[in-house]
Amino acid sequence: GAGVSQSPRYKVAKRGQDVALRCDPISGHVSLFWYQQALGQGPEFLTYFQNEAQLDKSGLPSDRFFAERPEGSVSTLKIQRTQQEDSAVYLCASSLNGGAGRNEQFFGPGTRLTVL
Amino acid sequence: ELKVEQNPLFLSMQEGKNYTIYCNYSTTSDRLYWYRQDPGKSLESLFVLLSNGAVKQEGRLMASLDTKARLSTLHITAAVHDLSATYFCAVDLIYNQGGKLIFGQGTELSVKP
């Protein structure tokens, strides 16, 4: 079956522009995670959904970052008024279950965001 | 705060040689993951280690976990060029925090003929 997909794969934004990044998880996966990977670094956790509920958003770096998963499937990460420090690869991952289940996470190809 | 540290961060090896990458973490966790990332690509799962003393092998790679020492190792045997990539270890938080992963900095491996 299909893996995790993300779109767009590449996004160039002018500073101050709003962007929206999409993640399609593996069908049936309950948990969805967003990570930010700066150049030369490991991914860093941003936020986590279990179905449509956002259970942890402790990693979001500022109130310019907003994520949603309204129907418990597709998720969108929105960044308002982008800044140069937002330039990174944004990775989405899904797992069959979370919480006590804590299944393995499968990662999408990522969206590379460049803010000029 | 959970910290995950890998060493070395950069590793240049000759084909045919053996080497070990180390992953230390700072607090209790019972699950450790190893991922591979090729340039410009996403993360590919290599191993999931679920308990103390777990050892898994796939081809030229072998991973182990010592939860008492809070240490995992990724051993490379008789390296080949195809293994050139960045390797990440990651742990998840044990206390029902949804399984978010905390990653190490990554080890960039270059295997030369």
Side-chain angles (χ1 to χ4, degrees), chain B residues 25-99:
Chain B
Y25 53 97
S26 61
T27 192
T28 304
S29 177
D30 61 354
R31 295 181 184 226
L32 190 132
Y33 304 81
W34 283 97
Y35 288 90
R36 168 181 172 146
Q37 189 175 42
D38 291 286
K41 304 290 186 181
S42 191
L43 297 168
E44 174 191 353
S45 178
L46 294 175
F47 300 107
V48 181
L49 302 170
L50 299 178
S51 61
N52 186 42
V55 177
K56 290 194 174 180
Q57 183 163 5
E58 181 72 34
R60 301 175 187 273
L61 301 178
M62 183 174 70
S64 66
L65 177 62
D66 181 342
T67 58
K68 294 180 181 178
R70 298 177 182 171
L71 171 68
S72 179
T73 62
L74 180 66
H75 186 73
I76 303 156
T77 301
V80 294
H81 179 70
D82 286 352
L83 290 179
S84 297
T86 299
Y87 293 84
F88 292 95
C89 63
V91 300
D92 65 1
L93 296 181
I94 193 170
Y95 295 114
N96 194 27
Q97 297 200 30

Side-chain angles (χ1 to χ4, degrees), chain A residues 19-51:
Chain A
V19 299
L21 312 180
R22 177 187 169 108
C23 172
D24 282 85
I26 294 172
S27 178
H29 277 199
V30 170
S31 297
L32 185 146
F33 302 81
W34 283 98
Y35 294 86
Q36 180 190 59
Q37 186 176 21
L39 187 64
Q41 302 294 317
E44 293 192 355
F45 170 79
L46 294 177
T47 187
Y48 156 62
F49 291 86
Q50 192 163 12
N51 295 307

Side-chain angles (χ1 to χ4, degrees), chain A:
Chain A
V4 178
S5 61
Q6 293 184 244
S7 61
R9 293 293 313 279
Y10 303 92
K11 177 69 179 178
V12 178
K14 292 183 179 178
R15 191 174 58 181
Q17 187 178 352
D18 297 349
V19 299
L21 312 180
R22 177 187 169 108
C23 172
D24 282 85
I26 294 172
S27 178
H29 277 199
V30 170
S31 297
L32 185 146
F33 302 81
W34 283 98
Y35 294 86
Q36 180 190 59
Q37 186 176 21
L39 187 64
Q41 302 294 317
E44 293 192 355
F45 170 79
L46 294 177
T47 187
Y48 156 62
F49 291 86
Q50 192 163 12
N51 295 307
E52 68 279 4
Q54 189 175 20
L55 299 186
D56 186 348
K57 54 182 181 179
S58 62
L60 296 177
S62 78
D63 59 6
R64 297 186 294 104
F65 287 71
F66 171 77
E68 60 183 4
R69 194 187 185 197
E71 297 179 359
S73 178
V74 171
S75 177
T76 304
L77 176 67
K78 298 179 180 178
I79 310 173
Q80 297 177 323
R81 304 181 303 282
T82 52
Q83 304 293 315
Q84 283 188 322
E85 61 262 29
D86 299 336
S87 295
V89 174
Y90 290 85
L91 295 167
C92 176
S94 69
S95 69
L96 187 59
N97 204 341
R102 294 193 285 132
N103 294 107
E104 181 180 358
Q105 294 181 28
F106 296 88
F107 283 81
T111 295
R112 182 177 296 276
L113 173 65
T114 303
V115 181
L116 303 177

